[in-house]
Coordinates of all heavy atoms in Angstrom, one line a residue:
Y23 N -5.6 24.6 -3.9 CA -5.7 26.1 -4.3 C -4.5 26.4 -5.2 O -4.6 27.1 -6.2 CB -5.6 27.0 -3.1 CG -6.9 27.0 -2.3 CD1 -6.9 27.2 -0.9 CD2 -8.2 26.9 -2.9 CE1 -8.0 27.2 -0.1 CE2 -9.3 27.0 -2.1 CZ -9.3 27.1 -0.8 OH -10.4 27.2 -0.1
E24 N -3.3 25.9 -4.9 CA -2.1 26.2 -5.7 C -2.3 25.6 -7.1 O -2.0 26.3 -8.1 CB -0.9 25.5 -5.1 CG 0.4 25.8 -5.8 CD 1.6 25.1 -5.1 OE1 1.5 24.8 -3.9 OE2 2.6 24.9 -5.8
L25 N -2.8 24.4 -7.2 CA -3.1 23.8 -8.6 C -4.1 24.6 -9.3 O -4.0 24.8 -10.6 CB -3.5 22.4 -8.4 CG -2.4 21.4 -8.0 CD1 -3.1 20.0 -7.7 CD2 -1.3 21.3 -9.0
R26 N -5.1 25.1 -8.6 CA -6.2 25.9 -9.3 C -5.6 27.2 -9.8 O -5.9 27.6 -10.9 CB -7.4 26.1 -8.4 CG -8.5 26.8 -9.1 CD -9.8 26.8 -8.2 NE -9.6 27.4 -7.0 CZ -10.5 27.6 -6.0 NH1 -11.7 27.1 -6.3 NH2 -10.2 28.2 -4.9
R27 N -4.8 27.8 -9.0 CA -4.2 29.1 -9.4 C -3.3 28.9 -10.6 O -3.3 29.7 -11.6 CB -3.3 29.7 -8.3 CG -4.1 30.3 -7.2 CD -3.2 31.1 -6.2 NE -2.3 30.2 -5.5 CZ -2.6 29.7 -4.3 NH1 -3.7 30.0 -3.7 NH2 -1.7 28.9 -3.7
Q28 N -2.5 27.8 -10.7 CA -1.7 27.5 -11.8 C -2.6 27.3 -13.1 O -2.2 27.8 -14.2 CB -0.8 26.3 -11.6 CG 0.3 26.5 -10.6 CD 1.0 25.2 -10.3 OE1 0.7 24.2 -10.8 NE2 2.0 25.3 -9.4
Y29 N -3.6 26.5 -12.9 CA -4.5 26.3 -14.1 C -5.1 27.6 -14.6 O -5.1 27.8 -15.8 CB -5.7 25.3 -13.6 CG -6.7 25.2 -14.7 CD1 -6.5 24.4 -15.8 CD2 -7.9 25.8 -14.5 CE1 -7.5 24.3 -16.8 CE2 -8.9 25.7 -15.5 CZ -8.7 24.9 -16.6 OH -9.7 24.8 -17.6
Y30 N -5.6 28.4 -13.7 CA -6.2 29.7 -14.2 C -5.2 30.6 -14.8 O -5.5 31.4 -15.7 CB -7.0 30.4 -13.0 CG -8.4 29.8 -12.8 CD1 -8.7 29.3 -11.5 CD2 -9.3 29.7 -13.8 CE1 -10.0 28.7 -11.3 CE2 -10.5 29.1 -13.6 CZ -10.9 28.7 -12.3 OH -12.1 28.1 -12.1
A31 N -4.0 30.6 -14.3 CA -2.9 31.4 -14.9 C -2.6 30.9 -16.3 O -2.5 31.8 -17.2 CB -1.6 31.3 -14.0
Q32 N -2.6 29.6 -16.5 CA -2.3 29.1 -17.9 C -3.5 29.5 -18.8 O -3.4 29.8 -19.9 CB -2.1 27.6 -17.8 CG -0.8 27.2 -17.3 CD -0.7 25.7 -17.2 OE1 -1.7 25.0 -17.3 NE2 0.5 25.2 -16.9
L33 N -4.7 29.3 -18.3 CA -5.9 29.6 -19.0 C -6.0 31.0 -19.4 O -6.3 31.4 -20.6 CB -7.2 29.2 -18.2 CG -8.5 29.4 -18.9 CD1 -8.7 28.5 -20.1 CD2 -9.6 29.1 -17.9
T34 N -5.6 31.9 -18.5 CA -5.6 33.4 -18.8 C -4.6 33.7 -19.8 O -4.9 34.5 -20.7 CB -5.4 34.1 -17.5 OG1 -6.4 33.8 -16.5 CG2 -5.4 35.6 -17.7
K35 N -3.4 33.1 -19.7 CA -2.4 33.4 -20.7 C -2.8 33.0 -22.1 O -2.6 33.7 -23.1 CB -1.1 32.7 -20.4 CG -0.3 33.3 -19.2 CD 1.0 32.6 -19.0 CE 1.7 33.2 -17.8 NZ 3.0 32.4 -17.6
K36 N -3.4 31.8 -22.2 CA -3.9 31.3 -23.5 C -5.0 32.2 -24.1 O -5.1 32.5 -25.2 CB -4.4 29.9 -23.4 CG -3.3 28.8 -23.3 CD -3.8 27.4 -23.2 CE -2.7 26.4 -23.1 NZ -3.3 25.0 -23.1
T37 N -5.9 32.6 -23.2 CA -7.0 33.4 -23.6 C -6.5 34.8 -24.1 O -6.9 35.3 -25.2 CB -8.0 33.6 -22.5 OG1 -8.5 32.3 -22.0 CG2 -9.2 34.5 -22.9
V38 N -5.6 35.4 -23.3 CA -5.1 36.7 -23.7 C -4.3 36.6 -25.1 O -4.5 37.4 -25.9 CB -4.2 37.3 -22.6 CG1 -3.3 38.4 -23.1 CG2 -5.0 37.7 -21.4
A39 N -3.5 35.5 -25.2 CA -2.8 35.3 -26.5 C -3.8 35.1 -27.6 O -3.5 35.7 -28.7 CB -1.9 34.1 -26.4
G40 N -4.9 34.4 -27.4 CA -5.8 34.2 -28.5 C -6.5 35.5 -28.9 O -6.7 35.8 -30.0
V41 N -6.9 36.3 -27.9 CA -7.6 37.6 -28.1 C -6.6 38.6 -28.9 O -7.0 39.2 -29.8 CB -8.1 38.2 -26.8 CG1 -8.5 39.7 -27.0 CG2 -9.2 37.4 -26.3
K42 N -5.3 38.6 -28.4 CA -4.3 39.4 -29.1 C -4.1 39.0 -30.5 O -4.1 39.8 -31.4 CB -3.0 39.4 -28.3 CG -3.0 40.2 -27.1 CD -1.6 40.2 -26.5 CE -1.5 41.0 -25.2 NZ -0.1 41.0 -24.7
A43 N -4.1 37.7 -30.8 CA -3.9 37.2 -32.1 C -5.1 37.6 -33.0 O -4.9 37.9 -34.2 CB -3.7 35.7 -32.1

Side-chain angles (χ1 to χ4, degrees):
Y23 286 147
E24 181 181 338
L25 289 172
R26 186 170 59 180
R27 283 190 295 267
Q28 290 174 359
Y29 171 76
Y30 281 125
Q32 289 175 345
L33 181 65
T34 302
K35 284 181 183 181
K36 285 183 180 181
T37 303
V38 167
V41 170
K42 283 183 179 181

